[in-house]
Amino acid sequence: MKRISTGIPEFDTELEGGYPEGKGILISGDTGSGKTILGLHLIYRACMDNKNCLYIATEETPEDIIMQAESLGMDLRHFYNEGKLVIQRIYEERVHEAIASVKFGNDRPLSSDIVKLKDIIVGINDIVIIDNIGVFTLTMALDVFRAQFDALTCVLSQKGYTTVFIMDETSNRRTEYVAAYSVYGVIKLSRKENPYTNKHERYLEVTKMRNTQIPEEPIRYKIAPEKGIVFLSD
Amino acid sequence: MKRISTGIPEFDTELEGGYPEGKGILISGDTGSGKTILGLHLIYRACMDNKNCLYIATEETPEDIIMQAESLGMDLRHFYNEGKLVIQRIYEERVHEAIASVKFGNDRPLSSDIVKLKDIIVGINDIVIIDNIGVFTLTMALDVFRAQFDALTCVLSQKGYTTVFIMDETSNRRTEYVAAYSVYGVIKLSRKENPYTNKHERYLEVTKMRNTQIPEEPIRYKIAPEKGIVFLSD
Amino acid sequence: MKRISTGIPEFDTELEGGYPEGKGILISGDTGSGKTILGLHLIYRACMDNKNCLYIATEETPEDIIMQAESLGMDLRHFYNEGKLVIQRIYEERVHEAIASVKFGNDRPLSSDIVKLKDIIVGINDIVIIDNIGVFTLTMALDVFRAQFDALTCVLSQKGYTTVFIMDETSNRRTEYVAAYSVYGVIKLSRKENPYTNKHERYLEVTKMRNTQIPEEPIRYKIAPEKGIVFLSD
Amino acid sequence: MKRISTGIPEFDTELEGGYPEGKGILISGDTGSGKTILGLHLIYRACMDNKNCLYIATEETPEDIIMQAESLGMDLRHFYNEGKLVIQRIYEERVHEAIASVKFGNDRPLSSDIVKLKDIIVGINDIVIIDNIGVFTLTMALDVFRAQFDALTCVLSQKGYTTVFIMDETSNRRTEYVAAYSVYGVIKLSRKENPYTNKHERYLEVTKMRNTQIPEEPIRYKIAPEKGIVFLSD
Amino acid sequence: MKRISTGIPEFDTELEGGYPEGKGILISGDTGSGKTILGLHLIYRACMDNKNCLYIATEETPEDIIMQAESLGMDLRHFYNEGKLVIQRIYEERVHEAIASVKFGNDRPLSSDIVKLKDIIVGINDIVIIDNIGVFTLTMALDVFRAQFDALTCVLSQKGYTTVFIMDETSNRRTEYVAAYSVYGVIKLSRKENPYTNKHERYLEVTKMRNTQIPEEPIRYKIAPEKGIVFLSD
Amino acid sequence: MKRISTGIPEFDTELEGGYPEGKGILISGDTGSGKTILGLHLIYRACMDNKNCLYIATEETPEDIIMQAESLGMDLRHFYNEGKLVIQRIYEERVHEAIASVKFGNDRPLSSDIVKLKDIIVGINDIVIIDNIGVFTLTMALDVFRAQFDALTCVLSQKGYTTVFIMDETSNRRTEYVAAYSVYGVIKLSRKENPYTNKHERYLEVTKMRNTQIPEEPIRYKIAPEKGIVFLSD
């Protein structure tokens, strides 16, 4: 099984070289846990490795994404300008839909068919990142979500894409964590108080990664300016 | 990235100079946690810095707001009188709507389209504060709230406004904390008992602030007469 | 800001002289926590200070209220007889409504428009006490309750009344504690077991009081015969 | 205020002589907590004091009740035979209703208007005991229950009856403990494990009793054969 | 009051000789707690005492039941063959109903009128065991279940049957434990980790048994091959 | 009772030789707990013992399954190629259904009649494994699920198949763990933090196995590359 580097050398070591190529993985976590930052590491490294990357952004503008990457020491603008990185402007589309729906008295502004994402995700891509898949789940019945998410995962995998699904913890909990059953791997980010030191610590946990001997313990990390995620040894 | 002073010098230090200009931030907390007091610091400082401020007040009269600021040592009346600070009287409008709705047998008194706030928020403003966005969410389905709040955040940001959303914790919990995903930064105020001393302590926690190295630990503070929020060193 | 004595000297000290005149405050607590007893202190002291008092009683007869006050050493009968204290017999009205509704097959006996209370609360009053506002909330949707309670609070305040809302904890929890956001101050009564002594202790906590430096810690008290609420020093 | 002996001398001492005459009190507790046994003490003592007693039994036959009293050393049969104690056979009526409703395809067998109980509770009674009021609450909306229970309590009190409502904890929890707000006193029975000895202990707690200085601490008791409830000193 | 031996001598001792004749008792517990095994003890002993026994089996075939009894050292086959023990094949009936309902597009396969069980339970029986009453409760509204279960309990008792209701904990929790209020006795089986030894232990607790001085503490037991339930002394 | 080897010698020892032939057992656990890996052990051993195996795969392609087995040191491809192991491609069918349902505006893509699985499970099979039965339960009412799952279990048992149901913990919890009542045995996999060492440990617990003296304590295990599940001695 081919693997793709995460851009974080210690993480690659933990994953037998990286995350599986051609499969879907899920990154979940609460507000401020660093989901998007981890996603930026994956994307930046993929760009550096000359891969074609597609970023589906539901909550930020392309400029926001690029600025955030820059503050972490990753020059994404370069790849964006030369077309290695394509950023789909789903965020602004959602805003226009919401405003229009109020104007025309339509209560349900956001079309939420996940399967339709397959029609957006076209072209020659190596890595596709969807940040955040959670916004498509708000009105979806659980069985519809599971069926559609399974379908999307399968279709993207058949096209040979490697897909990174970022999902906020609120949506993950509301859909009863079923997304985890459909993907090849799951990475959970959290931040909690250490009961001994009373300090808040950040943890990355790999709860699932098929065909991979996964680390049994959560990995402590910090987010450093100009560097992003840095693993800490205990 | 330009930053705006919070009016609390130690807080500015923690935020690399202040909160980001032109973006939206969310302040949440329980009854009596000091949400409005923090908002008054932001507004007062902005007025002092000669910025145009708009205060959307859903639960207090302008007089209540100005009196509360005075008791904390901030002379807002001065700026209010000369028009640097505009206070929208949403509170009294809501009361009239409620009374009318009972008179005419209408069960749902409060129009709750958040997007419509964009039509209220007009003119040349530097800072807009909405205290409390929670009252607009009571009948809103979660997906509608998320879409509308995303839209409002985006539109206000495009106009160049810096927006401070104050949201009561009850509404925040009911909307499953999704507001946090749409804004640039989140500040959470709380009050809890210290298990060692059995004293109640107040904490300010920055759970998210894009492009900013945020303080990892909650900051303890008190509310002092004639001063407002004062950070305490541990 | 003018303040009104609570009738409990130590409590007045904690509140910079008393509770704010012309505003609404909320007293909440569980069964047997002493909500009505605290209300009787406020009313009795107001009568002693020659104020006009209106008592809206939803769960007790006037005789019950006067007898309970007497057992706590407060001679309310005197003020009741001379008209300084008016007790609205909402309790018996509710009973008649309930019986009639069963007779005529009407399932919803209790008209629950809170705003209509403003038509009951008439005349020249200084203090209005509503014990217990919770009975009006049982069928009310949360948004309707919030809008109506805001409206009632605002209207009574505009008339210059000082209003004391007593609310049982069950109703407060069911309405997700939103009443607290509309009033000027909140007093919470509770009774809990001390984990060290295994004794049950009573606590009064001021969780909110605008324009007032509130006590940060809950105050322990007992209910003494012929005296009512007596604060205890730790 | 006149008081009625509970039949348990130590309990009378705790209640300044007994429970208030002419008012309603509520006894609640889980399965096997001894609710009916406490009710039998009250009834037996009332019979001994030559009072007219009415027992509304929803879950047991008269024979079951009398046998259980006998095993606790209380000869109720004697009073039952001479008519001092009347036992209403609501239990068998409910069974017939349920069977009929199945036969005729009616899904809702049990008429659950609590107010109608006032038409059953007739004649010259001193003490009325309803064991268990909970069976009337299963389909009732919370507001209807509160209004009807308030009405029943008020009507019975106006007739001069002293009423003892026994309510299973399941129904009490389902109706969000609102019954407690309508009655004059509340007695809660429970059984819990002592964390130090790991032994199960029974506790009686008076959480409310108007016009009465109530014991602040729960009282430990046992159920002894031929004796019933016996208070234990700590 | 006549009592029936449980077949476990130490248990009989705890129950003043056994469980009450002519009444209903409830056995509840989680998966694997030993509910059916306790039921087999009761049935086997009743057969040995020459009683007529009826076993209503909703989840196992007669062969499964007899084999399980044999592995616990109880030769039920002998009594089954000679007709002392009748096993109603409700299990297979339920399967056929379910398959038919799918074939004919009927969504609700299982007729769930508990009262109708009284038409199945006919003939001359001493002991009736229904294992598991829970399967009849899945679609039943709580009030219907309570009324019907009360009715069934009452009717079987009037016929002179002694009834053992086995109910899985899931159904018991879903019906809010109301079954316990209708029966004469309740036996709860559970399995939990001892916090000191970290070993899993099995407990039998009698939470209710009218006219019986019940053991206050849970009784620890094990399930031994060829023996079944064996009480352990602490 | 005949038993089938699990393929894990120490596990066979704990189960008196293996799991019961001709019955249904349930394996449940959270994401990444190793449910599929345990299933692969059972299947691989059955193939080795020359049994005919049918694998109903709802979330993986045959290639995924075979590759995962290979990484654990089990050469399933060999048996797959020669037809001893048949893998039903339910996964791809589900994806096509989901896509079609979106195209044609049908909201409920997945036909969820569990009983219909009996029409898929045909031919001469010794072992049938359904991984994961949970996907069929998403829209099913609890009573329908219980009736259908009982029916499927019974029908497969009558055909002489030994069935292994794998169910994700989310679905198991949503269906209130009722599947456990229908099967002959239940194996629960979990992963939790040891409170003393703060290390995460994996546990296998047999919560039910009829006719079998089951291990009272959970068994700690690890997942080793090229080996799969390896029991650890404490």
Side-chain angles (χ1 to χ4, degrees), chain B:
Chain B
M1 165 163 280
K2 280 197 177 167
R3 292 179 188 271
I4 302 175
S5 169
T6 62
I8 305 170
E10 306 94 315
F11 197 14
D12 288 347
T13 308
E14 295 282 0
L15 292 176
E16 306 185 4
Y19 55 106
E21 192 184 74
K23 304 291 179 182
I25 63 167
L26 176 73
I27 299 173
S28 75
D30 274 315
T31 306
S33 62
K35 294 181 301 293
T36 293
I37 294 174
L38 178 55
L40 291 174
H41 276 282
L42 304 186
I43 282 295
Y44 182 59
R45 175 64 193 238
C47 287
M48 299 274 282
D49 290 346
N50 206 29
K51 290 186 162 69
N52 292 303
C53 297
L54 175 62
Y55 199 118
I56 313 278
T58 64
E59 281 161 346
E60 296 183 76
T61 61
E63 189 56 31
D64 278 342
I65 293 165
I66 289 165
M67 271 180 59
Q68 186 164 13
E70 282 175 347
S71 81
L72 297 165
M74 311 179 197
D75 179 15
L76 274 187
R77 191 180 303 277
H78 171 71
F79 299 109
Y80 180 62
N81 288 340
E82 65 186 28
K84 292 301 292 176
L85 169 64
V86 175
I87 303 182
Q88 284 267 5
R89 305 173 80 96
I90 295 272
Y91 179 51
E92 284 107 329
E93 277 175 39
R94 286 177 57 225
V95 167
H96 294 145
E97 272 194 70
I99 291 170
S101 82
V102 171
K103 205 174 287 168
F104 301 116
N106 183 350
D107 241 23
R108 285 285 173 282
L110 189 60
S111 62
S112 58
D113 272 326
I114 285 178
V115 171
K116 283 184 184 159
L117 279 171
K118 78 175 171 50
D119 303 325
I120 294 172
I121 303 167
V122 291
I124 299 163
N125 298 301
D126 295 301
I127 309 281
V128 176
I129 188 164
I130 302 173
D131 178 7
N132 151 355
I133 190 83
V135 300
F136 298 98
T137 69
L138 294 170
T139 51
M140 223 174 237
L142 185 55
D143 63 320
V144 176
F145 170 66
R146 187 159 190 174
Q148 292 206 357
F149 188 69
D150 273 11
L152 180 64
T153 307
C154 180
V155 165
L156 296 180
S157 187
Q158 284 171 348
K159 289 190 181 181
Y161 299 164
T162 304
T163 312
V164 178
F165 299 98
I166 294 183
M167 189 174 203
D168 63 82
E169 191 58 19
T170 303
S171 299
N172 203 9
R173 190 173 46 240
R174 194 172 344 95
T175 51
E176 299 183 29
Y177 306 102
V178 295
Y181 296 108
S182 308
V183 290
Y184 219 73
V186 178
I187 298 167
K188 192 169 160 34
L189 303 179
S190 60
R191 189 163 162 271
K192 57 184 173 184
E193 198 175 332
N194 182 317
Y196 301 109
T197 64
N198 288 327
K199 297 290 172 194
H200 283 76
E201 301 175 342
R202 294 174 180 281
Y203 286 96
L204 178 156
E205 188 169 9
V206 182
T207 58
K208 173 180 179 178
M209 195 66 79
R210 287 187 190 139
N211 283 335
T212 309
Q213 178 76 356
I214 60 174
E216 290 282 322
E217 302 306 320
I219 299 162
R220 197 154 62 85
Y221 69 97
K222 65 173 182 178
I223 298 173
E226 304 295 322
K227 286 188 180 171
I229 291 172
V230 177
F231 280 20
L232 302 170
S233 57
D234 280 332

Side-chain angles (χ1 to χ4, degrees), chain A residues 166-182:
Chain A
I166 294 183
M167 189 173 202
D168 64 82
E169 191 58 19
T170 303
S171 299
N172 203 9
R173 190 173 46 239
R174 193 172 346 94
T175 51
E176 300 183 30
Y177 306 101
V178 295
Y181 297 108
S182 308

Side-chain angles (χ1 to χ4, degrees), chain C residues 163-210:
Chain C
T163 311
V164 178
F165 298 99
I166 294 182
M167 189 174 203
D168 64 81
E169 191 59 18
T170 303
S171 299
N172 203 10
R173 189 172 48 240
R174 194 171 344 95
T175 51
E176 298 183 31
Y177 306 102
V178 295
Y181 297 107
S182 308
V183 290
Y184 220 73
V186 177
I187 298 167
K188 192 168 159 36
L189 303 180
S190 60
R191 188 164 163 272
K192 56 183 172 185
E193 197 174 331
N194 183 317
Y196 302 109
T197 64
N198 288 327
K199 296 291 172 194
H200 282 75
E201 300 175 342
R202 293 175 180 281
Y203 286 96
L204 178 156
E205 188 170 8
V206 182
T207 57
K208 172 181 181 178
M209 195 66 79
R210 288 186 190 140

Side-chain angles (χ1 to χ4, degrees), chain C residues 39-52:
Chain C
L40 290 174
H41 276 283
L42 303 186
I43 283 296
Y44 182 60
R45 175 62 194 238
C47 287
M48 298 274 282
D49 289 347
N50 205 30
K51 290 186 162 67
N52 292 303

